[in-house]
Amino acid sequence: MSGQRTRPRLRFGAPRIDMSHGAGGKATHKLIEGLLLPALENPALTPLSDAAVLPFGEARLALTTDSFVVRPLSFPGGSIGELAVNGTVNDLAVSGATPLALSSALIVEEGLATEVLEREVGAMAAAAERARVAIATGDTKVVERGKGDGLYVITTGVGVADPELELSATSVRPGDRILCSGTLGDHGAAILIARGDLELEADILSDTRPLTPLVEALKGAAGPALRFMRDPTRGGVGTVLNELARDSGLGVVLWEERIPIREVVQGACEILGIDPLYVANEGKLLAVVAPEVADAALEALRSVEGGEEAEIIGEMKEEPARMVVMHTGFGGTRMIDMLVGDPLPRIC
Amino acid sequence: MKYSREFRNADLARAVAAEIAAITDPKRHYKIMEVCGGHTHTIYRHGIKDLLPEQIELVHGPGCPVCVLPMGRVDDGIRIAERPEVIFTCFGDMMRVPGSKGNLIEMKAEGADIRMVYSPLDALRLARENPEREVVFFAIGFETTAPSTALTLKRAKKEGIENFSVFCNHVNIIPPVRALLESPDLRLDAFIGPGHVSTVIGCRPYEFMAADYGTPCVVAGFEPLDILQSILMIMRQLAEGRCEVENQYSRVVPWEGNLQALEAMAEVFELRPYFEWRGLGFIAQSALKISEAYSYFDAEIRYETPGVRVADPKACQCGEVLKGVLKPHQCRVFGTACTPEHPLGALMVSSEGACAAYYNFGRKTGERVGARR
């Protein structure tokens, strides 16, 4: 036999990609684990964290990339340009890394009004300044009319990982507390309403913001007792906590009464039959810390702008292993499973 | 939400639960069916079972319109959706319902113009905005959603919109309930009546349950306290030896129903002699078709819908679960071949289906997990 590496056979199954493969739930996982991971497997990719950690001399670099395809391009509380910077900065931040620089690729649809592009590039510049990170390189492509939704933005970020932190699901221990930096579902609900498919009006703003100040506060309060962080974007808190339960082998127990959700977001979700736990967030983080530092970590989060409504929402348990359950405010218990596809509204 | 929070008060819930426990006969087993998928969803979502004495068994009925739609009808819908001139519109949870060769999400990926709408009026708006295309609305649902389809058709007729039609799959609640009461393998002590349906039809149509079958029925709302209160009302009837139809949801449901909605339905729809239900088979006069006066808007006339009957997969035991003979997890394919991701059976499709609700909210290793902090 030659010394050539044999590629594992790809077993994905579905004959075509449909929208559920991009929704962040089970179908997305199948795509990643059945096709992308076996084809591209390497030690940096395999942990499938928000950013890959690459050894570089004495240091460790964190590298991440994300594409932004939101419709409409601007919405209450934010716009695609701001989102594209904050999203990538946040993937670095929750990996415990300090952002160094970003690259950005703009895919512009023929016919887009120049003023929209000016507005969005301006939003990128302002967001980069706020997050104290430079957009150091980039690329621009124009595609024919009808081949894009006006503007897609792809950003890649590189940062320096904190040498003191070992953030991963496998670092998490039974008894650890789960913190959430603020109200859930604001971004996803704002987008749903901004799309105008629903004749609903509600005062909901996207929560897009850089998480770096919150992460710094947490690191200061918890130090090495900070075990895990993620930003619950697409797929929401339900999906992140299911990944945590699966990868840690532990159970996640949530306390419904402690989970901060704005009444207006809860109301919009009730009308649509969508669970806010699966709705996307853009400026929130979930963290797992050792129990002895939980109260200090909470206080630290609450002292920072954007973290005022932080809560301890649950804890890690030995049982039920690899599952997420919630004690309902009503006194019962329910399971929170991973989202199947897009959250689809119920009919009645 | 402030309004609905009042119906989720844990202290009140514990008080109602204690009252239920106090009048429960420890030597007796109670089987209560909630007919509506919305109730099933609430029961699981709020963990209501954990608050009830073990003598009370909640059985999940056939009240999820997505779940009871037979595969042949889904195939007919997909066949219409595949036509290049058609914009096919449907409610969100219809998108994943399996036909014999795939679902609407997959057909969309293959190029069919399928769009999710939140109401039939949105579909009519699409017809107005796309005069060169044909817009078809996939209408499903019980008496809860039928009035909005009826009003949309009335508006389409009034406005003279020609490129709009409805593939009508509306069903009625009373015939399947009667079929369940006739079923020899199901012995129910009481029914929790579907509140949303009753906002339209009122409470009177359920009176036969108590009068002819000796089975109490309490029409209930959808908040967790509504359901607990209706269980208490049922338990009181059983303890006192009464058998009546009662209205727990009186803040929304008038005893006589909504006459305006009923009139619109009577104008636009007529009864089908027979309709097939997934898991339950054919039930006489259990579904609606578009009436003669509105036949111009009937997609079944406008397009070819062969109406071939497609049998459910043999392994599925949806019928037994719908009739309360089996619990979801007792079905031989539950959670293995049949999951929300790849539903084989109807009840795994919609979040209101008993199996999907059980899979998403109820499946866990123990009944009580972890202690409150």
Side-chain angles (χ1 to χ4, degrees):
Chain A
M1 290 294 284
S2 74
Q4 258 189 344
R5 185 181 155 203
T6 39
R7 290 266 168 203
R9 201 169 144 235
L10 306 180
R11 288 171 191 274
F12 174 50
R16 277 179 202 276
I17 300 302
D18 62 48
M19 293 305 286
S20 64
H21 292 114
K26 280 187 183 171
T28 307
H29 276 261
K30 252 197 168 151
L31 176 66
I32 293 170
E33 281 158 19
L35 199 158
L36 301 175
L37 203 49
L40 305 172
E41 195 167 12
N42 64 70
L45 175 68
T46 307
L48 290 178
S49 46
D50 281 332
V53 176
L54 309 166
F56 186 73
E58 294 292 297
R60 288 185 305 164
L61 289 182
L63 179 69
T64 186
T65 192
D66 214 336
S67 12
F68 296 83
V69 294
V70 61
R71 182 176 61 86
L73 295 177
S74 68
F75 40 82
S79 70
I80 189 168
E82 193 179 356
L83 215 54
V85 170
N86 287 340
T88 292
V89 163
N90 291 347
D91 281 346
L92 290 173
V94 295
S95 305
T98 306
L100 272 182
L102 303 187
S103 81
S104 87
L106 303 175
I107 299 176
V108 190
E109 185 184 351
E110 177 187 27
L112 182 77
T114 309
E115 70 181 89
V116 174
L117 192 58
E118 284 169 354
R119 185 189 72 204
E120 291 313 320
V121 173
M124 291 176 75
E129 197 180 324
R130 185 177 177 197
R132 285 177 299 193
V133 64
I135 299 176
T137 182
D139 178 47
T140 307
K141 294 281 188 297
V142 178
V143 294
E144 284 173 44
R145 187 184 275 273
K147 299 275 169 73
D149 283 324
L151 177 65
Y152 299 142
V153 184
I154 295 139
T155 49
T156 298
V158 64
V160 183
D162 188 320
E164 302 286 308
L165 287 178
E166 266 315 318
L167 295 174
S168 84
T170 48
S171 307
V172 169
R173 298 281 168 265
D176 283 357
R177 299 288 193 259
I178 302 158
L179 280 87
C180 147
S181 69
T183 54
L184 299 180
D186 301 57
H187 174 75
I191 294 285
L192 261 179
I193 288 170
R195 276 190 191 154
D197 298 339
L198 296 165
E199 285 179 22
L200 266 184
E201 279 179 33
D203 193 13
I204 305 176
L205 298 181
S206 166
D207 56 6
T208 180
R209 62 165 60 247
L211 291 171
T212 19
L214 289 161
V215 170
E216 288 305 320
L218 254 184
K219 280 200 230 173
L226 175 57
R227 318 246 214 232
F228 174 90
M229 269 192 294
R230 285 288 290 276
D231 57 336
T233 52
R234 194 184 46 170
V237 169
T239 301
V240 168
L241 292 179
N242 267 282
E243 288 167 0
L244 172 63
R246 183 195 61 189
D247 297 342
S248 66
L250 298 173
V252 171
V253 176
L254 296 177
W255 308 309
E256 186 174 35
E257 285 167 323
R258 296 284 197 90
I259 298 176
I261 298 172
R262 281 187 218 287
E263 282 189 359
V264 60
V265 170
Q266 181 80 47
C269 288
E270 290 279 337
I271 289 169
L272 294 170
I274 289 175
D275 192 330
L277 290 181
Y278 297 110
V279 174
N281 309 275
E282 283 294 340
K284 299 290 155 52
L285 68 80
L286 285 177
V288 179
V289 300
E292 59 274 13
V293 300
D295 290 335
L298 179 66
E299 209 170 300
L301 278 177
R302 285 181 173 172
S303 70
V304 180
E305 189 190 346
E308 298 87 347
E309 290 159 300
E311 287 285 355
I312 298 174
I313 60 168
E315 71 177 313
M316 305 300 299
K317 293 264 186 185
E318 296 270 9
E319 295 292 337
R322 301 167 67 86
M323 281 190 183
V324 183
V325 294
M326 179 154 85
H327 291 304
T328 71
F330 202 62
T333 306
R334 75 176 239 213
M335 208 185 120
I336 314 277
D337 199 9
M338 192 169 269
L339 187 65
V340 171
D342 264 322
L344 299 174
R346 300 204 309 269
I347 77 157
C348 60
Chain B
M1 279 312 295
K2 277 189 185 119
Y3 180 64
S4 75
R5 195 160 284 176
E6 290 168 16
F7 297 93
R8 296 180 185 183
N9 180 315
D11 293 335
L12 216 55
R14 274 188 283 274
V16 179
E19 249 187 284
I20 292 172
I23 56 170
T24 300
D25 179 349
K27 294 190 284 298
R28 195 177 156 185
H29 184 78
Y30 302 85
K31 219 171 180 180
I32 301 173
M33 176 178 274
E34 86 276 359
V35 178
C36 176
H39 286 155
T40 308
H41 189 85
T42 302
I43 287 165
Y44 280 115
R45 185 175 161 198
H46 295 276
I48 286 177
K49 213 174 137 280
D50 295 348
L51 277 75
L52 297 175
E54 59 186 26
Q55 289 85 353
I56 298 179
E57 180 189 358
L58 295 176
V59 180
H60 318 299
C64 165
V66 173
C67 303
V68 294
L69 193 69
M71 210 179 255
R73 299 292 292 185
V74 181
D75 283 357
D76 282 349
I78 288 174
R79 191 182 268 250
I80 298 172
E82 284 171 337
R83 298 176 72 101
E85 75 276 23
V86 164
I87 297 173
F88 193 77
T89 60
C90 63
F91 292 132
D93 51 3
M94 249 339 280
M95 301 282 280
R96 263 201 300 265
V97 182
S100 62
K101 293 184 193 72
N103 62 27
L104 287 164
I105 289 183
E106 288 157 3
M107 295 305 127
K108 183 172 186 284
E110 287 186 15
D113 192 348
I114 297 167
R115 305 191 196 178
M116 193 176 81
V117 290
Y118 295 90
S119 99
L121 283 171
D122 293 341
L124 187 64
R125 177 168 50 82
L126 275 174
R128 260 188 234 112
E129 290 167 1
N130 296 276
E132 74 295 350
R133 305 280 303 277
E134 284 289 327
V135 175
V136 182
F137 175 63
F138 194 161
I140 65 163
F142 287 90
E143 289 90 340
T144 325
T145 53
S148 62
T149 306
L151 293 170
T152 303
L153 283 175
K154 283 180 71 164
R155 187 179 289 188
K157 191 174 189 181
K158 193 173 161 201
E159 292 182 21
I161 296 177
E162 293 182 351
N163 62 326
F164 179 70
S165 58
V166 167
F167 180 43
C168 181
N169 293 280
H170 284 299
V171 285
N172 297 332
I173 194 71
I174 297 298
V177 169
R178 195 181 283 275
L180 286 171
L181 282 164
E182 295 282 353
S183 170
D185 47 1
L186 179 67
R187 284 274 160 268
L188 289 170
D189 293 288
F191 278 98
I192 299 175
H196 285 168
V197 168
S198 285
T199 58
V200 176
I201 67 171
C203 297
R204 198 174 291 285
Y206 305 113
E207 285 175 346
F208 79 96
M209 296 184 190
D212 302 348
Y213 294 90
T215 312
C217 174
V218 173
V219 173
F222 292 83
E223 290 298 331
L225 269 178
D226 286 327
I227 295 192
L228 272 184
Q229 192 191 8
S230 58
I231 292 170
L232 176 61
M233 289 164 78
I234 284 170
M235 295 300 285
R236 279 189 185 139
Q237 285 201 39
L238 294 173
E240 293 162 15
R242 286 185 292 123
C243 178
E244 296 163 19
V245 176
E246 290 180 299
N247 185 6
Q248 182 276 335
Y249 204 25
S250 57
R251 68 182 186 276
V252 176
V253 170
W255 192 265
E256 300 294 340
N258 180 334
L259 295 180
Q260 233 182 337
L262 291 169
E263 268 170 30
M265 284 169 63
E267 181 182 335
V268 172
F269 300 120
E270 58 192 42
L271 277 175
R272 293 177 193 269
Y274 281 97
F275 194 73
E276 187 194 359
W277 292 60
R278 257 198 207 197
L280 295 176
F282 284 90
I283 302 177
Q285 301 195 319
S286 64
L288 302 172
K289 72 187 282 285
I290 293 172
S291 68
E292 192 63 41
Y294 285 79
S295 60
Y296 176 81
F297 298 101
D298 190 343
E300 284 177 72
I301 296 173
R302 205 175 286 200
Y303 305 101
E304 190 192 351
T305 51
V308 175
R309 191 173 179 228
V310 185
D312 282 332
K314 277 197 183 123
C316 272
Q317 295 182 287
C318 284
E320 283 91 332
V321 177
L322 276 176
K323 285 187 278 188
V325 178
L326 288 184
K327 289 276 177 199
H329 66 280
Q330 291 168 331
C331 168
R332 58 184 162 246
V333 287
F334 176 85
T336 52
C338 186
T339 61
E341 206 179 1
H342 289 293
L344 279 184
L347 296 180
M348 195 56 100
V349 175
S350 161
S351 62
E352 294 188 11
C355 293
Y358 190 90
Y359 188 95
N360 287 328
F361 296 141
R363 180 177 47 100
K364 57 181 191 274
T365 49
E367 284 302 309
R368 301 274 176 193
V369 198
R372 199 168 278 264
R373 190 174 176 236

